[in-house]
Amino acid sequence: MFPTTRGAPPSTNRSASLARAAGEYAAVAALVAAMTLVLWLLRDRLTLANASLLYLLATLVAAVRWRTGPSVLAAVLSFFSLNYFLVRPYYTLAVEDPRELLDLAVFLAAALMAGRLAAYARTQAEAAGLNARQQEVLYRLTSALNPLTDAAAIRAELRRAVADDLGAQEVHFLPNRPPADPDPGLAIVFVLLQAGETIYGTLRAAFPHPPSTSQHRLLTACVGQAALALQRVDLTEQARRSQALAEADRLKTALLRAVSHDLRTPITIIKTSAANLRDPDLAGRLAPAEQRDMAQAIETQADTLDRLVGNLLDMSRLQAGAVVLNQEWNSLEEIAGEVAARVYQSQKAERIRLEFPDDLPLLRCDYGLLLQALSNIVENALRHEPPGRRVIIRGRTEAEAVLLEVVNHGPTIPPEERERIMEPFYQSRDGRALIGSVGLGLAIAHGIVEVHGGSLSVADTPGGGATFVIRLPQKERAP
């Protein structure tokens, strides 16, 4: 990830740098001249030590303000000014007292060392401050990138950081087309958005001045953080696709199993019964009651086949998100009553008991879909309900929700299976699933309840059994 810079001609940059340096050295000369003038006016009242300290102060000021080069100039100018204007004989570089020559030499050495140390301290302080600012910029950028899950949003955040925090006037991402006629006075920098072996594009940033080495490093670090965020989004998307493919493969395997066994069973019975009835020799030997039984078997297995295919289609619609709710104000007691009526009609026995309070509120829901979900749950409960017992459908309310409970008194569902029985094609390992069931009833019910914004869970029935709890949110009150 190497930045490349293109900008103003080198001669222009050198001219600007020389002009800036000339201004600094002129300012130092003016400072020393002003200090010399003050000391010259006061030379009869000040000692040589006093003058040396004041010149040393001027050297320190130059070092702190303009760094090493100007501080050296300040030290040299101070040395000659001190000797020429303040040491006898005046206005000459000769020294009357040889001891003062030692004083001047020590002053020059001290001024040079003090200037260098002050300039170094300033450089270190500036470096520390620059490092702190860069760390703050990187921290803000990283904090902003962490929650983002969209590549466009990550690029937008990087563009904001480069423009606001690094001072770029233009920020573009290649291969998108940059401005046709860029300003020739801008310094153009190119940085690859690269994480590992993957390149996500190139950042093109235009600065009013060529960026310094530290700015280059900060820009590269910011682009690196954005590239890592893009890689995270890419890896997340790959993991999601892999999970979807794995889920699709699992469903395909389960569907093939269902087709090979549960769907072929009714087809085989229908085909065998129809062939027996069509054979004139065999049909003539069958009693009327046996012929009716075969016709009834054909009808029953056709209904089973229709129900299995319908469940497969319903499951595919739920997984594709193609279910559209037709919500109206409905009575849950009425839905449960229709389920009980259908069970009585099919089994010619009262297998359902309803327990609903008189004040149960109406609920805004899709009548047909909720009827199908409750029917699937009740059908599952009836498979395992002991003879002589009834499945209870109970309604009640709690805070901001209405509950439908389907109470079964058969075997208890182990805790580790309570979530898995809601999965498509899941078959219990303890032999409770019946032939002809492909394990879609509860999965379809779970999907329908979730489409309504509710939840389907399983709890233990006191005394043994499983209670399926449909919890539907009551978002608004019935008119």
Side-chain angles (χ1 to χ4, degrees):
M1 192 183 302
F2 300 100
T4 303
T5 303
R6 187 184 68 197
S11 58
T12 303
N13 297 333
R14 283 197 299 270
S15 298
S17 178
L18 290 174
R20 184 169 59 253
E24 293 176 356
Y25 286 112
V28 169
L31 175 64
V32 174
M35 181 65 70
T36 301
L37 177 61
V38 172
L39 293 175
W40 180 76
L41 294 174
L42 300 174
R43 67 183 178 182
D44 294 332
R45 299 182 182 182
L46 298 177
T47 65
L48 181 60
N50 298 144
S52 300
L53 290 176
L54 291 175
Y55 274 123
L56 186 60
L57 177 62
T59 302
L60 292 175
V61 170
V64 172
R65 180 66 180 85
W66 294 294
R67 301 187 185 179
T68 303
S71 70
V72 172
L73 177 62
V76 173
L77 291 179
S78 297
F79 170 79
F80 285 105
S81 298
L82 180 64
N83 190 6
Y84 191 82
F85 292 102
L86 303 177
V87 175
R88 289 186 174 87
Y90 299 129
Y91 314 117
T92 179
L93 295 179
V95 177
E96 182 178 280
D97 187 349
R99 292 175 297 179
E100 291 181 343
L101 182 61
L102 178 62
D103 294 339
L104 290 173
V106 172
F107 164 76
L108 180 60
L112 290 174
M113 288 189 294
R116 290 293 300 274
L117 290 175
Y120 178 77
R122 178 192 170 175
T123 301
Q124 294 300 311
E126 289 180 349
L130 178 61
N131 184 63
R133 289 193 296 273
Q134 291 178 349
Q135 293 297 326
E136 182 181 358
V137 170
L138 281 175
Y139 175 77
R140 284 202 308 268
L141 178 61
T142 304
S143 300
L145 292 176
N146 282 337
L148 299 181
T149 58
D150 179 70
I154 291 174
R155 287 186 170 88
E157 183 60 31
L158 176 60
R159 178 184 287 110
R160 182 210 61 77
V162 174
D164 295 348
D165 297 330
L166 277 73
Q169 291 188 356
E170 299 176 3
V171 182
H172 299 278
F173 294 97
L174 306 180
N176 294 335
R177 181 173 298 178
D181 299 318
D183 187 344
L186 296 178
I188 310 299
V189 180
F190 299 90
V191 186
L192 288 178
L193 281 99
Q194 182 175 4
E197 299 298 324
T198 306
I199 296 176
Y200 297 96
T202 301
L203 179 134
R204 175 190 181 277
F207 294 89
H209 303 289
S212 63
T213 303
S214 60
Q215 287 177 310
H216 264 306
R217 287 197 297 267
L218 178 58
L219 177 62
T220 303
C222 290
V223 173
Q225 291 298 317
L228 290 176
L230 290 172
Q231 184 184 50
R232 169 176 52 80
V233 172
D234 192 20
L235 293 176
T236 302
E237 180 62 21
Q238 292 179 17
R240 187 193 65 79
R241 288 197 298 266
S242 299
Q243 184 178 5
L245 290 174
E247 180 66 16
D249 186 67
R250 188 184 70 82
L251 292 177
K252 179 188 70 175
T253 302
L255 180 59
L256 290 174
R257 183 183 62 196
V259 171
S260 63
H261 182 269
D262 297 306
L263 294 181
R264 291 186 63 181
T265 299
I267 292 175
T268 302
I269 295 174
I270 291 172
K271 184 177 180 180
T272 303
S273 300
N276 291 336
L277 292 176
R278 189 181 62 180
D279 189 343
D281 296 333
L282 182 59
R285 296 194 301 268
L286 292 175
E290 292 176 331
Q291 294 182 3
R292 287 194 301 271
D293 289 342
M294 285 188 178
Q296 180 64 37
I298 292 175
E299 182 179 0
T300 301
Q301 295 303 320
D303 291 339
T304 300
L305 187 61
D306 179 70
R307 184 175 66 255
L308 294 177
V309 173
N311 282 341
L312 290 173
L313 294 176
D314 291 338
M315 195 68 238
S316 65
R317 289 172 57 218
L318 285 170
Q319 290 185 333
V323 176
V324 179
L325 294 180
N326 181 23
Q327 298 191 81
E328 301 289 344
W329 291 106
N330 295 298
S331 168
L332 296 184
E333 185 175 7
E334 182 179 343
I335 295 175
E338 183 169 344
V339 172
R342 290 184 179 184
V343 171
Y344 179 82
Q345 184 178 7
S346 63
Q347 300 194 12
K348 308 302 180 183
E350 292 187 1
R351 301 290 311 280
I352 307 294
R353 187 170 84 240
L354 303 181
E355 295 181 359
F356 283 83
D358 294 335
D359 59 349
L360 189 71
L362 298 178
L363 188 70
R364 191 173 177 81
C365 62
D366 188 306
Y367 186 96
L369 288 178
L370 203 56
L371 176 65
Q372 180 182 0
L374 185 59
S375 298
N376 289 354
I377 297 173
V378 169
E379 179 184 358
N380 181 83
L382 287 173
R383 290 175 182 171
H384 313 294
E385 187 70 14
R389 301 293 298 271
R390 294 183 184 180
V391 171
I392 301 173
I393 304 179
R394 179 187 301 138
R396 62 186 181 90
T397 60
E398 65 176 22
E400 303 300 327
V402 180
L403 276 62
L404 272 177
E405 297 177 342
V406 179
V407 182
N408 165 265
H409 305 91
T412 301
I413 300 177
E416 62 272 13
E417 284 196 20
R418 292 179 183 176
E419 292 293 334
R420 299 198 62 192
I421 61 175
M422 308 292 181
E423 299 176 359
F425 303 109
Y426 179 72
Q427 298 285 345
S428 174
R429 292 174 296 178
D430 61 4
R432 289 181 291 136
L434 301 180
I435 297 175
S437 170
V438 294
L440 286 177
L442 291 180
I444 292 173
H446 183 264
I448 291 174
V449 173
E450 282 194 336
V451 168
H452 281 81
S455 63
L456 175 60
S457 59
V458 183
D460 290 337
T461 300
T467 298
F468 292 84
V469 181
I470 300 175
R471 180 175 283 99
L472 298 169
Q474 192 175 14
K475 299 178 181 179
E476 51 184 318
R477 301 294 179 179

